[in-house]
Amino acid sequence: MDNLSDALKKLKITAIDISEDSLEGCLDCLLQALAQNNMETSEKLQGSGILQLFASLLTPHSPCTAKVANIIAEVAKNEFMRLPCVEAGLIPPLVQLLNCKDQEVLLQTGRALGNICYDSHSLQAQLINMGVIPTLVKLLGIHCQNSALTEMCLVAFGNLAELESSKEQFAYTNVAEELVKLFKKQIEHDKKEMIFEVLAPLAENDAIKLQLVDAGLVECLLEIVQQTVDSEREEDIAELKTASDLMVLLLLGDESMQKLFEGGKGNVFQRVLSWVPSNNHQLQLAGALAIANFARNDGNCIHMVDNGIVQKLMDLLDRHVEDGNVTVQHAALSALRNLAIPVVNKDKMLSAGVAEAVLKFLKSEMPPVQFKLLGTLRMLIDAQVEAAEQLGKNVKLVQRLVEWCEAKDHAGVMGESNRLLSALIRHSKSKDVIKTIVQNGGVKHLVTMATSEHVIMQNEALVALALIAALELVTAEKDLENAKLVQILHRLLADERSAPEIKYNSMVLICALLGSETLHKEMQSLAFLEVVSKLRSHENKTVAQQASLTEQRLAVDS
């Protein structure tokens, strides 16, 4: 370590007073010491105050620049050295060196910046603001034959791409083209993996998704799937998963998805479709998720349903009923839910037996599957009287819905269960459906739903409750009383923050409840007339008109 002390002493003399050979010798000695004991040497270096000197040694034309950058890269491996490197002002000269032509300088500079900014979003953001992204993308294109430099750029991209601000900058470069070009040349699994790790965060940006599609990434991904689908090698299985996941990610962008759909005739769309009947769970999952993504616009949905996609998804679900793969179940149900959104598809899907296929998963204990199952049924019965009546009289379904309405740990499942209960009543307008729901304890949940923070859910609940009161008041009377419905309605009407449609539907419900002596008495005790008469001057005309009607009804019946 005596040599190290000598080297540090020499370096303390300003760089001007040290001959080039002597400087190089000192730097070699430092590198050797770092190789033997990085942490101890770094501590000594920090104590010596030499870091500040390094900033002046980082010049493009000095033959020692690569070694200085290498030393900085080595010391910055230690977390305690990163801030001192920043305080010594090393980042600006290092960033300047990225414009250098010397490949060794570029490599060590990239390593130094990467290590100093490792795990620090604020420092990485600083680099982005200093314009390193376009510079690094250019370097990747120029030095694509140099594997060490290529790797350095990829590591840098991987770190920077996690920041949202970086994606905007990446989108203005030709990074997609460069990465796809590089990807096509790779044979080694590890190198492909490195590129995948950069592509995934970048592909979260819609503009870059489209650039990747234009650069031909999709063809590369399809080829990987073809090559690895039957392999049992661990690395091939991993590559298949990464490639198919990335494919699904590219389809999340509206423009990239439409480009690949090509009116349902696109080669990519057809290939992805062939994944659904595959025996490989990963491909089944990716295929179903891809269909769910393609089904984000009505035209695509109608085309797909007309071309038999529903049967493929039902067959897939059938294969996963007993102890099936939960992610596949979830993905297939997501696809069916999206396909059921256009009005013209509902009847076709019901005729194809989708409701029956979905009901097979009622026994599922997995909240994500429960959530999609509920959403699919709710989409299917929208304005479909017969289907709503048939499902609403299904005691097993209603019992399960009532049970899920209490799933407090899973807000999504709880909300969807409430919404489906209400939808069964609203779309069927059937006494039998109402009786089934009342007999199985569903009324209290609809009353609670009327207090939801979401106006759409409040509304759906109030309309369903009004239908119950209009068609089966005697059957539901006790439950409505126990659920404190009248008190809730009073609160909704008195609350100035209640939306106009909530006030309107609350008053419609009040008029329907007047047929019950018990509930009527409760209304009188709460001075409903007073609250309602105030609403006659409401700025919303419909609310004001309904207030007048309700006031008349309350006055007559009192």
Side-chain angles (χ1 to χ4, degrees), residues 413-428:
V413 173
M414 195 164 84
E416 275 294 339
S417 302
N418 277 300
R419 293 191 76 184
L420 183 53
L421 263 187
S422 154
L424 291 169
I425 294 169
R426 288 183 296 110
H427 297 305
S428 70

Side-chain angles (χ1 to χ4, degrees), residues 20 57-66 97 100-102 105:
E20 229 159 64
L57 295 174
L58 290 167
T59 59
H61 307 299
S62 162
C64 297
T65 301
L97 285 175
C100 172
K101 289 187 168 60
D102 185 308
V105 171

Side-chain angles (χ1 to χ4, degrees), residues 5 7 62-63 78 122 156 160 184 200 203 239 264 268 278 281 306 333 362 433 448 459 468 477 546:
S5 303
S62 162
N78 303 294
S122 61
L160 296 174
K184 285 176 178 172
E239 212 166 286
V268 175
S278 148
H281 280 189
D306 286 345
L333 289 167
L362 263 187
V433 170
T448 306
N459 240 340
I468 290 173
E477 185 180 42
Q546 186 58 42

Side-chain angles (χ1 to χ4, degrees), residues 470-504:
L471 299 172
E472 277 297 325
L473 185 54
V474 178
T475 316
E477 185 180 42
K478 200 75 197 141
D479 287 349
L480 295 170
E481 188 189 347
N482 291 339
K484 312 260 187 299
L485 174 61
V486 172
Q487 291 173 32
I488 286 168
L489 291 172
H490 189 274
R491 212 162 56 232
L492 289 175
L493 289 175
D495 189 346
E496 286 177 10
R497 292 164 305 174
S498 292
E501 57 267 43
I502 298 302
K503 290 190 186 297
Y504 174 82

Side-chain angles (χ1 to χ4, degrees), residues 1-4 28-42 74:
M1 276 298 186
D2 290 343
N3 288 348
L4 173 64
D28 284 336
C29 179
L30 252 176
L31 281 167
Q32 210 173 339
L34 283 164
Q36 285 165 0
N37 190 330
N38 191 313
M39 191 176 282
E40 194 181 322
T41 307
S42 296
E74 288 302 314

